[in-house]
Amino acid sequence: MRKAIATVTLSGDLYEKFEACAAAGYQGVEIFENDLMLFDRTPEEVRELARSFSLDILSLQPLRDFEALPEETMKKNLLRAARKFELMQRLGAQHLLVCSNTSAQAQDNNEQAAADLARLAEMGKAHGIAVGYSALAWGRHVNRYEQAWEIVRMADHSHLGLVVNSFHLFAAGSDLALLQQLPLNKLSYVQLADAPSLQMETLQLSRHFRCFPGQGDMPVLELMACLQQRGYRGYISHEIFNDDFRAAPPKPKAVDGMRSMLWMDEQLARQSEQASVLAEQEEVGVLPPQASVDDLEFIEFAIDGEEAAELTALLTGLGFEESHRHRSKDVSLWRQGQINLVLNHEMESMAHSHFLLHGVSVCALGFSTRDLGAMLRRAEYFLCPRMGNKIGPGELNIPAVRGVGDSVVYFVEHSERLKFYDVDFFPLKQASTAALGLTRIDHIAQTVNPGDFLSASFFYKSVFGFEVESNQDLFDLYGTVVSRTITNADKRVRIPLNMSANQQSSSQRFLRQAKGSGIQQIAFACDDIFHAAEAVDRRYVLPIPANYYTELAIKYDLDEALVSRMQALNILYDRNEDGEFFHLYTREVHGVFFEILQRAGGYDRYGEVNSHVRMGCQSREYRDKQRRLESLLALY
């Protein structure tokens, strides 16, 4: 199937949109009439511009409120259509998209609608242009594809077909029965759009919340499987109306769309092909290799000068020590258990560039994989640009790709014997074994701008094959934080992804401080939370209000001595049918905070029930800090 995208999906003018579409690998575009109207070039120049980017102009869209109207109105519509066809001929467009009528004047008369569309198709034939009829889910009389197909069938014209739009198909409650029977020569092309399961009026959902397939909850993949089974070889085209998409730069959003197309290709192939065939397709690059991310090998911080002191003091308070030094760069490794934290001071590095943009912050994640070459091929398949890094003689060249925001993702080949730091780092003799008993990185929480929420989650889903959970709402004092958790197959890698549109929420405060998306929380697992809480430097622990523990004792009927001990150590608690969860938080440093946790039994959640307590306490500390600063400023 050939891949296209409607220009309404992207921001910018037609030049910027064409450029973004070509760079992402699309073969065709649907031009939205407003984009053409506002572009300062002639239709002939637009045609040549598309040709210069090797893009077919699949359609001009849409022609609205055309069919089944009173004759006087129809006469005007036919004049309008004649001018449209002349324009399209100059433009080199292949199809005219006609949406089912929403006008109050529209008549509930399929025979009349068919006759009107046949007249339109005859005009298109004279210009060498096909007409595609599409059912809007809110059409006045025609809002289901079964109705639209009946009209197209009755019209019986060689230049009239059906344009099936996945959003309208599923939003109207239709299934795939029609698509399984529709003659392929009457299927003009297919428009794809997904959407989340939101309880709202269909028109509002369509205009503001459509998304790329795989980012929402509609069964778009099943539709694509049906098309593949039928042997459809025509165009599939993204048509997305989304406020965040149109506010984002066009190039990364076009890449998101192509990534969605490639992900669907992969899913369909793996559902239908035998293992031997899949292996051959992977070998020749038709399909990417299976994802194989085993663990989070390291977290890298960009730091510099005096601003590093606060972070290193907090890490020391958590029982970390500098265990290794890089052989040629100003980079140190802080370890505890299986936890590796890289602190990068190096001036000539990507980390320093990140520091200049975002201050002290997490600049990179290192994922371990059992097949490095396969993961690199997979990342390339899903349009992830490789990142270069300065390396010295005899040093490891750890490959990297662009991650979420301005961050980097490194790939480290899994090895039981040789670790990434064994080659480029030397151990420090003075490093001791003193620690809090922290064992591994349990999860990291990444906060993103609302407009990047779908893109970031689909990045992990497509490139790394991670599972994406449904959204849940976390309640801040100043709004709602929307969260979804992303994990690898065995949940060794867990990434809660958070966003909020409320400007005073903890998420937005972090985005302002970090100047963009980034890692806001790092959670460490331990085997004895009480030992860790007693050993940690108490200056860095986030204080929890006494009222929390009063409610805790009532809610869970806990032993009074246990509650008193948790209160003394600022430990929070959750319990479900699978087990128990104990955790504490540190204060924020440069917007980042740490969590120490212990899972008991089969508990597999994240203590979400306590998120409002944590965010409330962080807001209190932020307000107190602001008041102290204001008091100091008032003295001058």
Side-chain angles (χ1 to χ4, degrees):
M1 302 177 202
R2 294 173 66 80
K3 298 173 173 62
I5 188 169
T7 59
V8 71
T9 305
L10 306 173
S11 65
D13 63 22
L14 274 184
Y15 184 92
E16 294 171 301
K17 296 183 182 195
F18 285 1
E19 183 181 42
C21 294
Y26 289 98
Q27 297 152 303
V29 290
E30 293 187 79
I31 296 181
F32 196 59
E33 60 183 0
N34 289 355
D35 286 323
L36 181 63
M37 182 191 312
L38 297 174
F39 197 50
D40 60 352
R41 297 196 191 184
T42 67
E44 290 82 2
E45 289 173 325
V46 172
R47 181 185 64 210
E48 291 305 312
L49 180 63
R51 186 176 298 170
S52 73
F53 284 113
S54 300
L55 294 170
D56 292 337
I57 297 180
L58 175 61
S59 71
L60 182 66
Q61 56 132 323
L63 180 63
R64 304 178 190 273
D65 298 338
F66 177 81
E67 78 286 6
L69 291 169
E71 186 59 30
E72 284 303 311
T73 306
M74 184 53 60
K75 290 178 182 178
K76 296 177 182 177
N77 275 352
L78 290 171
L79 290 174
R80 179 162 61 105
R83 291 194 292 269
K84 186 81 73 174
F85 281 125
E86 291 172 3
L87 173 64
M88 292 177 65
Q89 197 166 37
R90 297 170 61 195
L91 193 62
Q94 302 170 8
H95 295 83
L96 173 63
L97 175 66
V98 181
C99 298
S100 60
N101 208 318
T102 63
S103 169
Q105 291 184 299
Q107 303 165 11
D108 188 7
N109 186 330
N110 283 2
E111 290 80 5
Q112 184 60 51
D116 292 340
L117 288 173
R119 293 162 74 182
L120 184 67
E122 188 63 24
M123 295 172 65
K125 181 179 180 181
H127 291 83
I129 296 170
V131 175
Y133 186 51
S134 184
L136 290 178
W138 54 88
R140 184 167 181 80
H141 300 297
V142 179
N143 47 49
R144 294 173 64 89
Y145 273 95
E146 295 83 354
Q147 299 169 289
W149 165 237
E150 179 61 19
I151 291 170
V152 170
R153 188 192 63 78
M154 291 170 61
D156 191 23
H157 196 285
S158 63
H159 277 59
L160 177 64
L162 202 63
V163 173
V164 173
N165 183 297
S166 63
F167 176 86
H168 293 293
L169 180 77
F170 296 126
S174 296
D175 56 27
L176 299 177
L178 171 64
L179 206 58
Q180 290 164 347
Q181 302 169 8
L182 181 71
L184 288 183
N185 67 332
K186 301 306 291 184
L187 183 55
S188 298
Y189 62 94
V190 177
Q191 292 178 321
L192 298 179
D194 205 338
S197 296
L198 298 175
Q199 298 301 313
M200 65 170 56
E201 196 260 334
T202 302
L203 180 60
Q204 292 303 309
L205 183 65
S206 173
R207 293 277 173 83
H208 303 287
F209 294 99
R210 292 195 210 182
C211 54
F212 292 122
Q215 295 180 341
D217 301 307
M218 287 181 164
V220 184
L221 198 58
E222 286 84 341
L223 181 148
M224 291 294 295
C226 178
L227 291 172
Q228 184 183 69
Q229 186 179 21
R230 293 290 316 279
Y232 176 73
R233 293 293 182 267
Y235 263 110
I236 53 173
S237 177
H238 285 314
E239 192 205 39
I240 315 293
F241 291 81
N242 186 296
D243 298 339
D244 290 332
F245 285 22
R246 290 192 291 270
K251 285 187 176 180
K253 201 53 64 178
V255 168
D256 281 353
M258 182 54 68
R259 197 170 276 159
S260 169
M261 296 271 198
L262 296 170
W263 175 80
M264 287 189 293
D265 287 345
E266 181 194 17
Q267 298 302 305
L268 292 172
R270 297 198 185 281
Q271 288 175 11
S272 61
E273 298 286 1
Q274 297 178 350
S276 59
V277 176
L278 291 175
E280 291 176 6
Q281 292 177 331
E282 291 175 9
E283 187 67 28
V284 299
V286 176
L287 278 182
Q290 291 272 32
S292 62
V293 171
D294 301 319
D295 210 340
L296 184 52
E297 185 78 9
F298 65 82
I299 298 173
E300 180 178 353
F301 286 86
I303 61 176
D304 191 27
E306 295 181 1
E307 294 190 42
E310 196 173 5
L311 175 63
T312 54
L314 173 54
L315 293 179
T316 301
L318 290 172
F320 286 91
E321 288 188 320
E322 184 181 11
S323 63
H324 294 71
R325 271 275 174 181
H326 198 279
R327 297 184 182 281
S328 65
K329 298 182 177 69
D330 193 4
V331 179
S332 60
L333 176 65
W334 293 57
R335 302 196 69 235
Q336 185 174 175
Q338 299 175 35
I339 305 165
N340 299 309
L341 303 179
V342 176
L343 273 57
N344 194 329
H345 309 250
E346 178 65 31
M347 298 294 289
E348 299 294 328
S349 67
M350 289 188 292
H352 187 66
S353 299
H354 195 278
F355 173 82
L356 294 176
L357 288 171
H358 304 283
V360 174
S361 54
V362 174
C363 61
L365 302 175
F367 288 150
S368 66
T369 174
R370 294 181 184 274
D371 192 337
L372 179 60
M375 273 309 304
L376 290 174
R377 293 197 303 275
R378 183 176 180 86
E380 182 180 10
Y381 176 87
F382 281 109
L383 310 179
C384 296
R386 289 280 293 272
M387 307 296 295
N389 211 349
K390 183 179 179 181
I391 59 171
E395 295 176 355
L396 283 177
N397 182 13
I398 303 178
V401 298
R402 174 68 68 191
V404 173
D406 292 326
S407 68
V408 171
V409 173
Y410 288 98
F411 293 112
V412 180
E413 189 135 38
H414 178 88
S415 172
E416 299 294 343
R417 296 181 298 102
L418 188 68
K419 299 301 181 182
F420 75 95
Y421 49 81
D422 288 333
V423 176
D424 292 352
F425 291 76
F426 60 87
L428 300 176
K429 292 181 179 179
Q430 66 267 32
S432 72
T433 58
L436 273 68
L438 308 183
T439 56
R440 62 179 305 273
I441 299 168
D442 184 87
H443 63 272
I444 55 173
Q446 198 159 21
T447 298
V448 299
N449 288 301
D452 296 330
F453 191 64
L454 291 175
S455 176
S457 59
F458 196 73
F459 168 74
Y460 288 117
K461 179 178 181 177
S462 58
V463 180
F464 304 106
F466 289 175
E467 297 293 326
V468 180
E469 294 184 4
S470 299
N471 291 354
Q472 62 174 324
D473 292 339
L474 308 178
F475 298 104
D476 197 338
L477 284 178
Y478 300 100
T480 301
V481 175
V482 179
S483 182
R484 58 170 48 165
T485 301
I486 300 160
T487 65
N488 73 334
D490 63 1
K491 295 192 176 182
R492 292 284 294 180
V493 180
R494 303 172 184 245
I495 307 176
L497 194 69
N498 302 321
M499 69 92 171
S500 177
N502 304 102
Q503 290 302 306
Q504 298 307 312
S505 68
S506 60
S507 294
Q508 285 289 338
R509 285 202 311 271
F510 170 79
L511 291 173
R512 287 194 295 273
Q513 181 163 351
K515 299 181 181 65
S517 303
I519 302 298
Q520 185 178 8
Q521 175 188 1
I522 301 172
F524 302 125
C526 70
D527 295 326
D528 186 344
I529 187 72
F530 292 98
H531 166 74
E534 289 168 349
V536 71
D537 190 327
R538 303 303 301 279
R539 293 174 298 171
Y540 298 110
V541 176
L542 183 69
I544 304 300
N547 288 338
Y548 167 80
Y549 295 96
T550 302
E551 291 296 320
L552 190 67
I554 296 170
K555 180 177 179 180
Y556 292 107
D557 190 25
L558 295 172
D559 178 76
E560 184 176 332
L562 175 63
V563 174
S564 296
R565 192 179 182 195
M566 286 193 291
Q567 181 175 356
L569 297 171
N570 292 290
I571 295 173
L572 296 95
Y573 178 83
D574 186 31
R575 183 174 71 204
N576 59 23
E577 63 274 10
D578 298 318
E580 297 177 293
F581 188 66
F582 301 85
H583 58 143
L584 65 84
Y585 296 102
T586 71
R587 290 184 156 108
E588 293 179 325
V589 173
H590 300 289
V592 178
F593 64 94
F594 297 88
E595 179 183 9
I596 301 173
L597 61 87
Q598 180 184 352
R599 300 176 182 273
Y603 186 95
D604 199 39
R605 298 305 305 165
Y606 303 87
E608 298 96 327
V609 68
N610 295 320
S611 61
H612 72 289
V613 179
R614 184 260 299 168
M615 289 187 281
C617 294
Q618 289 173 333
S619 294
R620 178 193 62 206
E621 295 230 323
Y622 175 79
R623 291 197 309 271
D624 290 346
K625 183 177 180 180
Q626 292 299 107
R627 288 169 184 151
R628 289 194 297 271
L629 289 173
E630 290 169 1
S631 299
L632 288 172
L633 290 173
L635 297 175
Y636 294 95

